[in-house]
Amino acid sequence: MTNRRKFLRNLLSVTVALGLSKKLFPNLIAFDDYFDDDEFIIRNGWVLLKSDLDSTNDY
Amino acid sequence: MIIDLDTATKNVKTADYDVCICGAGAAGITLAVYLARAGKKVALLEAGGFEYSDQSYDCYKGKNTGMEYWGLDTCRLRYLGGTTNHWSGRCKPLDEVDFMERDFFELPGWPIQKSDLANYEAEAKSVVDISGDFTAADISNWTSGKFIPDRYAISAPTRFGDKYRAEIEVSGNISLFINANLIDVRLNKELSSVTELVVMDYGKKRFTFTGKNIVIALGAIENARMLLNCDTQLKGGIGNQSDFVGRCFMEHYNINYGFFSGNPKYWKNMKKGLSLYTDSQFSLEHKIGNGNVSMSISPDPPTGGGRSKELRKYIRNNVCKWDEITELSRKFVDFQCPGDGILGTLMEQSPNKNSRVSLDKETDSFGLRRVNLSWQMNELDKRTIRTIGIELAKEFARQDYGRVQLASYILDENAKIPVGYHCHSIGTTRMSKSPEYGVVDKDCKVFGIDNLYIGGSSVFSTGGGTNPTFTIVELALRLAKHLS
């Protein structure tokens, strides 16, 4: 198998996996608007301060 | 003195004790020892021997028809020392809020106050071999008013059978009967007083024990099972005039909230982890139960053994290298990566009549109907679990101790919450002001029966978010004083 075909196969696999994961696990994105205040936000289940989105803090 | 009923003759002394205690676990042994020290003649009846036996454990077999729960013959231990033979040792008394009337609970609370048990706290510490104060992690910079550092102490843990066997053996006031299975509780004609206990060894020899007072302390599930089985004189069983025997079975929910990422500023030197407890004002304001959340950082390399060790090791060595793959994989398999913040919980279950112990049609080798446990969670409990999880995650971020990733079932109110447990069975013969809402009065005496008392966690009206053994011991000391 050429490198080009390997690349295309892997790309297809990753695309299908990501699509399936969002279909099977909608909760990965479903709670973004969970809080209706100015202080907190949810990303992929993580309860964050809104200011975290502009932060470089990665712990 | 210790007598093995399996090898005893019919001539052993079984009559005229001051107190007959059925069950030699935390409650039964504490009661026996303190009554004997006060000069009372005590018969202590233990259904098992000094260690595990198949014939003893067979009596514990039963059905689970509610939420998934431990095997009924594995979570409880049926030999001298009872379930203290595998308890964790975490000790903390109930809080004042636990004794308060909480009108958002389905049923009334305790008819006693924290102050009624406070006098027994020092002695209870000595029983479980802890000294000093209940202490919390030193996190002076934690300023949340919603969650406070939990104060507790850790017992060795004390194995009651091992610790007190020598004292029981030489005591002139305690007769410990092993392999002594309580089969029936017989009442007088007026059905107002216990006249005798029917007891059998495993060879089915029959003995009758008599005493001025009787205490049943077989554990929360077994206390209810025994009272329900004693239905030849009283329809529905002893103490069951309001249909409360077996009801309000409670546990402490062990909920997997998810993970957290800790701020190294605070977590770098936090070796023991952090244990937080709901502040009473917070839980009252939200009209929820209380709970403990314990946080720690998953170590590297993996600890512990077990069959899954190699799998966990593989996951840690491979999957944990890529964040995205880790996130996705965790949807299928629950695993921890080195450095993950782990959240452990012990959440209060509110009293719920539908969560109950009843009897099955099948019987054990003594002809007693086996137990049918239907453990149920109500809407209030779901709100307790979700509110504590979400508010804790917010406080964690607000205090900059880290960030919490909550499991989807905490955020999605329509999702089913996967429930774990702690082997804390409580509440099946609950204490109440009147028989309308319970089985025993404030002195642990069964309503309507002059000389029958219940020992152990089955009398808890509410369970708090706290391990129950310390309160079991406090109540046993209080009952010992009452009967002395």
Side-chain angles (χ1 to χ4, degrees):
Chain A
M1 192 182 286
T2 64
N3 284 343
R4 181 184 169 83
R5 287 188 67 184
K6 273 186 189 171
F7 172 77
L8 287 172
R9 188 194 63 181
N10 289 342
L11 184 65
L12 181 65
S13 303
V14 169
T15 308
V16 169
L18 284 174
L20 269 178
S21 69
K22 289 205 172 183
K23 186 82 178 167
L24 291 171
F25 308 110
N27 53 42
L28 286 173
I29 56 168
F31 303 107
D32 284 15
D33 302 321
Y34 188 86
F35 297 121
D36 57 359
D37 58 39
D38 292 332
E39 194 177 6
F40 296 101
I41 193 163
I42 290 184
R43 286 289 180 270
N44 194 22
W46 289 95
V47 177
L48 307 172
L49 295 169
K50 279 191 172 168
S51 57
D52 288 342
L53 298 179
D54 305 321
S55 167
T56 55
N57 188 354
D58 64 349
Y59 64 76
Chain B
M1 180 169 48
I2 298 178
I3 302 115
D4 183 348
L5 278 194
D6 268 352
T7 55
T9 65
K10 281 277 192 180
N11 297 328
V12 294
K13 174 180 159 54
T14 60
D16 302 326
Y17 287 98
D18 290 316
V19 185
C20 292
I21 302 167
C22 306
I29 288 179
T30 304
L31 262 167
V33 166
Y34 279 80
L35 284 167
R37 289 179 188 174
K40 298 291 177 188
K41 295 286 183 193
V42 177
L44 178 59
L45 307 171
E46 167 53 48
F50 297 123
E51 57 190 19
Y52 170 90
S53 75
D54 287 340
Q55 60 184 3
S56 178
Y57 272 71
D58 180 72
C59 300
Y60 268 174
K61 286 179 179 163
K63 283 183 184 164
N64 277 322
T65 54
M67 293 190 294
E68 185 189 336
Y69 195 61
W70 294 93
L72 292 168
D73 54 342
T74 54
C75 66
R76 307 175 289 160
L77 299 183
R78 200 172 190 265
Y79 57 93
L80 185 67
T83 305
T84 67
N85 286 299
H86 71 181
W87 73 304
S88 72
R90 189 173 169 120
C91 292
K92 182 191 163 188
L94 290 172
D95 289 327
E96 276 183 30
V97 66
D98 297 317
F99 294 93
M100 287 169 63
E101 210 58 62
R102 287 175 279 180
D103 58 9
F104 47 90
F105 274 20
E106 192 179 296
L107 292 163
W110 293 78
I112 59 174
Q113 302 300 311
K114 183 175 171 64
S115 55
D116 291 312
L117 294 184
N119 289 340
Y120 303 95
E121 191 173 300
E123 198 59 44
K125 282 180 178 174
S126 123
V127 170
V128 296
D129 304 307
I130 55 177
S131 56
D133 294 329
F134 297 103
T135 56
D138 180 17
I139 46 167
S140 50
N141 48 356
W142 176 269
T143 58
S144 168
K146 296 179 179 178
F147 298 92
I148 52 177
D150 202 4
R151 296 188 173 278
Y152 63 93
I154 298 289
S155 166
T158 302
R159 308 294 181 206
F160 281 57
D162 294 343
K163 177 178 176 182
Y164 291 104
R165 182 172 166 179
E167 179 172 346
I168 290 169
E169 226 159 6
V170 299
S171 170
N173 286 338
I174 304 177
S175 299
L176 166 64
F177 296 87
I178 59 169
N179 298 314
N181 296 276
L182 179 63
I183 304 303
D184 200 4
V185 178
R186 303 299 300 172
L187 304 177
N188 62 1
K189 267 196 306 190
E190 295 75 26
L191 306 176
S192 60
S193 178
V194 176
T195 53
E196 64 183 30
L197 300 174
V198 181
V199 173
M200 279 186 185
D201 70 340
Y202 290 99
K204 305 295 188 297
K205 288 197 301 286
R206 185 186 168 101
F207 300 83
T208 53
F209 283 79
T210 62
K212 291 190 189 88
N213 288 299
I214 309 297
V215 181
I216 296 181
L218 302 168
I221 293 173
E222 223 54 23
N223 280 351
R225 179 183 172 227
M226 182 49 61
L227 292 180
L228 290 170
N229 261 294
C230 295
D231 62 351
T232 54
Q233 292 175 280
L234 272 171
K235 193 182 172 191
I238 292 175
N240 202 21
Q241 55 269 46
S242 299
D243 188 26
F244 258 97
V245 174
R247 292 195 182 270
C248 302
F249 172 83
M250 294 178 281
E251 246 282 0
H252 287 121
Y253 298 119
N254 184 357
I255 305 296
N256 181 3
Y257 272 151
F259 296 94
F260 74 91
S261 179
N263 183 346
K265 179 178 160 189
Y266 300 116
W267 286 93
K268 197 175 171 186
N269 298 316
M270 191 99 73
K271 290 196 172 63
K272 284 188 176 174
L274 175 59
S275 188
L276 294 173
Y277 199 75
T278 43
D279 178 75
S280 57
Q281 284 308 312
F282 163 75
S283 56
L284 290 171
E285 187 181 308
H286 283 81
K287 297 181 187 278
I288 57 172
N290 289 297
N292 165 282
V293 182
S294 296
M295 282 151 281
S296 57
I297 302 290
S298 181
D300 182 22
T303 57
R307 279 172 290 184
S308 64
K309 186 179 179 181
E310 287 306 312
L311 176 62
R312 284 185 288 124
K313 201 169 159 185
Y314 178 83
I315 289 171
R316 281 165 173 257
N317 288 340
N318 295 280
V319 179
C320 287
K321 286 178 185 166
W322 298 283
D323 293 344
E324 290 77 10
I325 302 292
T326 303
E327 291 294 335
L328 193 59
S329 303
R330 278 176 176 164
K331 303 294 173 187
F332 300 100
V333 186
D334 183 20
F335 64 92
Q336 300 157 3
C337 291
D340 273 346
I342 310 300
L343 296 152
T345 62
L346 191 152
M347 318 296 291
E348 179 171 23
Q349 175 175 6
S350 63
N352 166 8
K353 283 184 79 174
N354 295 324
S355 181
R356 66 181 299 196
V357 168
S358 59
L359 297 180
D360 190 41
K361 285 178 186 165
E362 194 186 319
T363 57
D364 66 15
S365 59
F366 297 102
L368 295 176
R369 280 160 289 168
R370 293 189 185 277
V371 71
N372 179 349
L373 175 64
S374 178
W375 183 34
Q376 303 289 338
M377 176 190 281
N378 65 14
E379 290 304 312
L380 170 59
D381 300 337
K382 291 177 191 171
R383 205 170 73 240
T384 297
I385 290 164
R386 290 196 167 106
T387 303
I388 292 177
I390 292 164
E391 292 300 318
L392 177 85
K394 287 161 80 173
E395 284 304 289
F396 221 57
R398 198 177 265 143
Q399 306 274 325
D400 202 26
Y401 260 68
R403 301 293 182 271
V404 176
Q405 186 187 36
L406 291 171
S408 58
Y409 46 81
I410 299 299
L411 297 164
D412 181 358
E413 288 187 7
N414 297 314
K416 186 181 175 188
I417 302 173
V419 178
Y421 22 78
H422 284 276
C423 205
H424 297 165
S425 46
I426 48 187
T428 57
T429 64
R430 70 192 309 267
M431 188 187 283
S432 172
K433 273 181 191 158
S434 70
E436 192 183 354
Y437 294 112
V439 178
V440 302
D441 68 11
K442 63 182 176 56
D443 294 320
C444 298
K445 189 181 80 62
V446 175
F447 286 115
I449 311 290
D450 293 338
N451 62 345
L452 179 60
Y453 295 81
I454 303 291
S457 54
S458 67
V459 305
F460 286 22
S461 312
T462 63
T466 302
N467 301 54
T469 302
F470 193 76
T471 306
I472 291 172
V473 173
E474 285 183 313
L475 283 165
L477 292 168
R478 182 170 174 266
L479 180 54
K481 188 178 179 195
H482 179 77
L483 294 175
S484 292

